[in-house]
């Protein structure tokens, strides 16, 4: 059954004339008649009374007319919605990333890319590391922005996906600063217990910090007092003086320079990492390709 048969039938019922209905449907009279008969064959019963005079519908035709109207309107509405969606998709780019990267690296990008996004939209979806990669593999995202470090395994088929390094950062142990600008909680020579704000194990940042501490010959003694899956929350906890957290330097640099926060350890306690942007090798939309070209590649 074809949509045009339904539309033919509705027009025929309204005009009650094969000749007039065929004209309105922009087909010849014989062709119009064949389409009505094809619809009746699909329905399995006559829908139009045969005979002279104005066209009349059979009881089955009258019953089917209401259904045909609903079906035609529903299909037309769906067609319009799909066209709108296709148009929106052409103006939309989806980026899958983590919450912390969305706050730091992506926030800087948005300022840079703002002129390109006039009339377009960048959809940012924050997920755990494995989920951002899975979204890329399932074609649910155009790009995936993730941390890169030996402790983190990104398994993407190199035949289908490529990447560039777009930033470098480091996790630094920070504490609230005292009035003198020193860390309220710090790693000292006495190796005393230090209150520690830990990341939830499913976070990439947790794996970076725990791997670093596990392999550091002089790792500080830490007393876990909070475990949380949000770097933003840890930032607030640090500001309140609750303990030490490893936070991205890009997030705390300004606070360290204004002495709201202070480093709790030396450079050996830092965890350096890169930020990579992954994408499929196949060609993306014109907007996605333009954004890819505009982003800084290290």
């Amino acid at each position: 059954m074809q949509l045009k048969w339904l539309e033919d039938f509705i027009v025929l019922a309204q005009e009650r004339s094969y000749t007039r209905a065929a004209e309105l449907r922009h087909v010849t009279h014989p062709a119009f008649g064949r389409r009505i008969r094809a619809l009746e064959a699909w329905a399995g019963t006559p829908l139009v009374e045969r005979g002279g005079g104005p066209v009349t519908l059979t009881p089955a035709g009258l019953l089917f007319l209401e259904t045909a109207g609903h079906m035609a309107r529903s299909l037309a509405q769906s067609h319009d919605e799909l066209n709108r969606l296709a148009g929106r998709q052409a103006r939309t780019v989806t980026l899958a990333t983590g919450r912390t990267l969305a706050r730091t690296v992506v926030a800087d990008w948005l300022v840079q890319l703002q002129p390109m996004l006039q009339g377009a939209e960048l959809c940012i979806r924050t997920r755990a590391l494995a989920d951002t990669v899975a979204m890329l593999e399932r074609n649910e995202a155009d790009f995936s922005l993730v941390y890169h470090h030996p402790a983190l395994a990104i398994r993407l088929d190199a035949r289908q996906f490529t990447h560039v390094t777009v930033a470098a950062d480091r996790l630094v142990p920070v504490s609230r600063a005292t009035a003198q600008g020193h860390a309220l909680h710090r790693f000292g020579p006495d190796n005393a217990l230090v209150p520690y704000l830990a990341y939830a194990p499913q976070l990439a940042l947790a794996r970076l910090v725990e791997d670093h501490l596990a392999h550091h010959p002089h790792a500080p003694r830490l007393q876990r007092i909070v475990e949380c899956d949000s770097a933003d929350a840890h930032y607030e906890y640090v500001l309140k003086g609750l303990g030490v957290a490893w936070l991205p330097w890009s997030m705390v640099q300004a606070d360290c320079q204004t002495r709201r926060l202070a480093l709790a350890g030396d450079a050996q306690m830092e965890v350096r990492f890169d930020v990579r942007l992954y994408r499929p090798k196949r060609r993306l939309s014109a907007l996605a390709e333009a954004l890819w070209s505009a982003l800084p590649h290290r």
Side-chain angles (χ1 to χ4, degrees), residues 29-184:
H29 187 287
F32 186 84
R34 286 193 296 270
R35 281 158 45 165
I36 293 298
R37 289 192 295 275
L39 178 63
E40 290 178 316
W42 172 84
T45 185
L47 302 174
V48 180
E49 297 284 5
R50 297 308 191 261
V55 170
T56 57
L57 302 183
T58 65
L62 290 170
L63 180 65
F64 183 65
L65 180 60
E66 183 177 357
T67 301
H70 286 308
M71 292 174 65
R73 287 191 296 272
S74 179
L75 288 170
Q77 182 180 1
S78 295
H79 184 260
D80 291 342
E81 289 174 352
L82 289 171
N83 282 337
R84 286 195 296 270
L85 177 60
R88 181 174 180 271
Q89 287 177 334
R91 302 188 304 274
T92 302
V93 173
T94 300
L95 170 68
T97 188
R99 281 180 290 180
T100 305
L101 286 173
R103 176 183 171 178
T104 55
V105 175
V106 177
D108 291 336
W109 283 357
L110 288 174
V111 176
Q112 175 189 344
L113 298 175
Q114 193 172 15
M116 298 182 63
L117 294 175
Q118 300 300 319
E121 182 179 6
L122 178 62
C123 292
I124 302 165
R125 300 290 180 258
T126 58
R127 302 286 190 275
L129 176 63
D131 294 332
T132 65
V133 173
M135 287 183 66
L136 193 66
E137 292 177 314
R138 295 194 300 263
N139 293 324
E140 295 174 2
D142 299 292
F143 304 111
S144 178
L145 184 71
V146 298
Y147 298 112
H148 173 69
H149 184 274
L152 304 175
I154 302 294
R155 294 184 175 87
L156 281 170
D157 189 342
R159 295 169 297 180
Q160 300 182 52
F161 300 95
T162 187
H163 71 271
V164 290
T165 299
V166 295
D169 205 345
R170 63 188 193 273
L171 291 172
V172 295
V174 289
S175 165
R176 190 176 78 181
T178 64
Q180 293 75 33
H182 304 303
L184 178 64

Side-chain angles (χ1 to χ4, degrees), residues 211-220 266 268-269:
D211 176 78
H212 180 70
L213 294 174
H215 294 90
H216 198 291
H218 304 293
D266 58 22
Q268 292 185 352
M269 287 294 130

Side-chain angles (χ1 to χ4, degrees), residues 181-200:
H182 304 303
L184 178 64
H185 306 285
R186 61 179 293 110
F187 311 142
D190 57 354
N191 205 25
L193 275 174
V194 176
Y196 172 43
L197 310 174
Y199 291 111

